[in-house]
Amino acid sequence: MNEMKKNSNIKCTVAQCRNNMVTEDYCCLDCIHVGTHEADPTVPECVDCNSFVRRTDGIMD
Ligand code: SF4
């Protein structure tokens, strides 16, 4: 079983992501890759966490 270690520097509420701590709103990766799907991003909705991995262990289902 993988040890999930909270990264206090990366706050995240995306519980559907395998890298999320879930019990607290933090990411467990050492670093994440943030990008955009827009040509000219203007608001927060334009940017994405590209380190997202869909949770498949059923915890959130
Ligand atoms: S990888 Fe991105 S979406 Fe997933 S928990 Fe970390 S910050 Fe959140």
Side-chain angles (χ1 to χ4, degrees):
M1 188 172 172
N2 290 343
E3 182 78 21
M4 297 291 280
K5 190 169 176 299
K6 166 179 160 181
N7 184 338
S8 301
N9 295 310
I10 307 178
K11 198 160 173 58
C12 178
T13 58
V14 184
Q16 293 82 1
C17 177
R18 185 192 299 172
N19 298 317
N20 194 279
M21 194 175 183
V22 180
T23 53
E24 294 183 53
D25 290 340
Y26 287 93
C27 182
C28 292
L29 296 179
D30 290 337
C31 109
I32 60 168
H33 175 201
V34 176
T36 183
H37 53 272
E38 303 284 350
D40 183 20
T42 54
V43 292
E45 288 76 10
C46 296
V47 300
D48 312 290
C49 176
N50 290 327
S51 299
F52 172 88
V53 179
R54 188 172 186 272
R55 184 178 291 281
T56 56
D57 56 14
I59 283 177
M60 299 305 297
D61 293 340

